[in-house]
Amino acid sequence: MVTAVTSFGRSGLSDWLVQRVSGVILLAYFLFMGYAVATGGDYASWKALFAQTWVKVFSLMALLSLAAHAWIGLWSVLTDYLTERLMGTTGNVLRITLQILIVLVLFVYVVWGVQILWGY
Amino acid sequence: MLKVSIYRYNPETDDKPYMQDFEFDTQGKDLMVLDVLEQLKGQDTTIAFRRSCREGVCGSDGLNMNGKNGLACITPLSETVKNNQLVIRPLPGLPVIRDLVVDMGMFYAQYEKVEPYLQNDNPPPAIERLQSPEDRAKLDGLYECILCACCSTSCPSFWWNPDRFIGPAGLLQSYRFLADSRDTATEARLAKLDDPFSVFRCHGIQNCVNVCPKGLNPTRAIGHIRNMLLTHAT
């Protein structure tokens, strides 16, 4: 058993499941977006589309999925390449700094996204 | 003439590893890579490599041949040689002790972690613990592993985290005991695997399946472990 404190769900199984489910949600959302762009990309139809509550909810769901997906994925990358075993203490400092940075950026994206979705 | 290039490193005399080139006359025969190594050792007695049974049973001569891991004793030249060239390197990702001999310590440490032995806290029956042919069949494809380390050392996840990711060989053995109807420690075994590294560092790229000299499928076993974790979780 390896202890992980900075992973998304603290459990490999939970991270794995969240990664898969969020991946499916993102796929569905981007297909939907592709369809929306292909069938009507002008301002009026775009505004009408996002005036519907279900589109806002779906968009927020995709945004939260993106944040979780990015956290889990980038966490995996960072814990592969920036480790104490490979780089000594530098690895730990770099990894944790970057992890905090990533989480902060994702947090800003989520809050900003909520403001965009419900603010107009 | 076959061009053979061998990774050489003697930490007592060499600053860093280098490749030594040999010309080898196969006399038209489709030899095994181990035969080539044995004959080259006749030319240069300082070449170090591990070998024992020379028939793919002991798992001692796991090597990287032309970029692919395998057992030198059961890899014919016709299978690995390209452009008349054979490059032999030690298994990747493990510390080199000398030439083609690697330190398998980290590999064994991961194997030890999965407690690869039957655990049963029921009182033992008078003769032996019986198993139905169907239950026994579940162990096929799992018990045949010879621990040659070809799979784990071909796995990038194991290269980066050999101290935390159990690796395909260890996980295949882990599932061998999770799947055994006579083992009663399933819950305890699963509880030790539910972290982001031990099992879940596997991203399913199947390098392990590609190289296994015994034709086993660790990726499938890892999938089974994941499903067991999922069904035992809430």
Side-chain angles (χ1 to χ4, degrees), chain A residues 2 13 16 76 79-80 85, chain B residues 159 161-162 191 194-195 201 226:
Chain A
V2 181
L13 183 65
W16 176 79
S76 294
T79 49
D80 266 353
R85 197 182 72 85
Chain B
W159 296 339
N161 285 297
D194 181 33
D195 61 85
R201 209 23 73 120
R226 217 183 261 142

Side-chain angles (χ1 to χ4, degrees), chain A residues 1-2 4 7 10-17 75-76 79-81 83 85-86, chain B residues 106 159-164 191-192 194-198 200-201 226 229-230 233:
Chain A
M1 191 83 174
V2 181
S7 70
R10 313 288 180 276
S11 136
L13 183 65
S14 136
D15 277 9
W16 176 79
L17 194 62
W75 185 85
S76 294
T79 49
D80 266 353
Y81 301 127
T83 59
R85 197 182 72 85
L86 292 174
Chain B
M106 287 192 290
W159 296 339
W160 309 134
N161 285 297
D163 49 345
R164 295 187 278 195
K192 287 177 192 151
D194 181 33
D195 61 85
F197 287 98
S198 302
F200 290 96
R201 209 23 73 120
R226 217 183 261 142
L229 282 166
L230 208 54

Side-chain angles (χ1 to χ4, degrees), chain A residues 12-13 16 20, chain B residues 107 110 114 138 140-142 151-158 164-179 189-190 193-210 212 216-232:
Chain A
L13 183 65
W16 176 79
R20 290 302 175 280
Chain B
F107 175 78
Q110 294 301 341
V114 306
K138 287 177 189 161
D140 288 339
L142 303 172
C151 59
S152 290
T153 57
S154 70
C155 174
S157 289
F158 189 76
R164 295 187 278 195
F165 175 48
I166 290 173
L171 290 169
L172 188 84
Q173 287 316 296
S174 175
Y175 184 61
R176 183 244 170 277
F177 289 95
L178 286 168
R189 289 179 187 279
L190 286 175
L193 298 173
D194 181 33
D195 61 85
F197 287 98
S198 302
V199 175
F200 290 96
R201 209 23 73 120
C202 169
H203 299 308
I205 65 164
Q206 304 194 37
N207 275 14
C208 51
V209 183
N210 186 38
C212 179
L216 308 178
N217 191 331
T219 307
R220 191 191 295 142
I222 293 168
H224 286 311
I225 295 177
R226 217 183 261 142
N227 287 347
M228 286 183 88
L229 282 166
L230 208 54
T231 46
H232 281 73

Side-chain angles (χ1 to χ4, degrees), chain A residues 1-109:
Chain A
M1 191 83 174
V2 181
T3 313
V5 291
T6 48
S7 70
F8 181 76
R10 313 288 180 276
S11 136
L13 183 65
S14 136
D15 277 9
W16 176 79
L17 194 62
V18 171
Q19 191 75 339
R20 290 302 175 280
V21 174
S22 60
V24 171
I25 292 172
L26 286 171
L27 178 68
Y29 189 73
F30 282 107
L31 287 177
F32 168 67
M33 275 293 112
Y35 174 76
V37 170
T39 53
D42 61 288
Y43 180 76
S45 60
W46 200 247
K47 196 163 165 60
L49 180 71
F50 276 89
Q52 305 168 81
T53 305
W54 75 268
V55 176
K56 292 182 185 182
V57 171
F58 191 20
S59 300
L60 181 62
M61 192 196 284
L63 188 60
L64 292 175
S65 295
L66 184 82
H69 202 83
W71 186 340
I72 294 168
L74 290 171
W75 185 85
S76 294
V77 174
L78 294 181
T79 49
D80 266 353
Y81 301 127
L82 304 176
T83 59
E84 188 170 22
R85 197 182 72 85
L86 292 174
M87 305 169 75
T89 316
T90 322
N92 286 341
V93 174
L94 263 177
R95 189 181 71 253
I96 291 171
T97 309
L98 283 169
Q99 278 166 354
I100 292 171
L101 208 66
I102 287 165
V103 172
L104 284 177
V105 168
L106 291 172
F107 175 74
V108 171
Y109 281 172

